[in-house]
Amino acid sequence: MSGFPATIDLLAAADALTDYWSPRIVAQVNDQYIKVARLRGSFVWHAHEDEDELFYVLRGHLRIAYQDRPAVELSEGSIHVVPRGVQHNPVAAEECWIVLIEPVTTRHTGATESPLSKTIAQQLMR
């Protein structure tokens, strides 16, 4: 996709963020966006009905809580795929930096509306 640099330093991109729970799209690979985000605290319970979502922890620790199964604990360097249609809630007790890889059709909080919800346009803002 035009407009993105050919090389991206993911740590520098995450370091440049100032808001928690506000992902920024840094690249596109085919029909997938690559996003970075800073997290702290609890997000919102939500699901993505038609899309899987990959979480990759750059820094810190992330817990992904599920309603119907045990929570997943992710440390630096770990990845986890949340299956489509599954209610989940990311929680970071301390600041955590992540990369998200998800289809371009993925709405930030699925069908759940929240003050934390970001549009694709907001995620593209530089």
Side-chain angles (χ1 to χ4, degrees), residues 82-115:
V82 175
R84 67 191 72 202
V86 176
Q87 285 284 326
H88 62 286
N89 184 21
V91 180
E94 301 294 328
E95 183 172 274
C96 177
W97 296 5
I98 65 165
V99 174
L100 293 165
I101 302 174
E102 55 194 19
V104 298
T105 56
T106 305
R107 294 176 60 201
H108 188 216
T109 53
T112 303
E113 290 301 323
S114 160

Side-chain angles (χ1 to χ4, degrees), residues 24-97:
R24 292 292 180 260
I25 299 167
V26 295
Q28 182 174 352
V29 179
N30 299 314
D31 294 332
Q32 303 283 317
Y33 279 141
I34 312 302
K35 304 175 182 183
V36 294
R38 279 185 166 191
L39 315 179
R40 185 165 185 171
S42 183
F43 194 46
V44 296
W45 284 99
H46 67 287
H48 306 285
E49 290 307 315
D50 300 314
E51 302 97 358
D52 297 332
E53 181 178 33
L54 183 142
F55 286 82
Y56 167 49
V57 177
L58 291 170
R59 282 205 179 147
H61 181 89
L62 181 64
R63 179 176 194 265
I64 301 180
Y66 287 105
Q67 291 182 336
D68 63 347
R69 60 188 79 180
V72 173
E73 304 288 337
L74 300 171
S75 56
E76 289 181 20
S78 298
I79 66 169
H80 176 70
V81 177
V82 175
R84 67 191 72 202
V86 176
Q87 285 284 326
H88 62 286
N89 184 21
V91 180
E94 301 294 328
E95 183 172 274
C96 177
W97 296 5

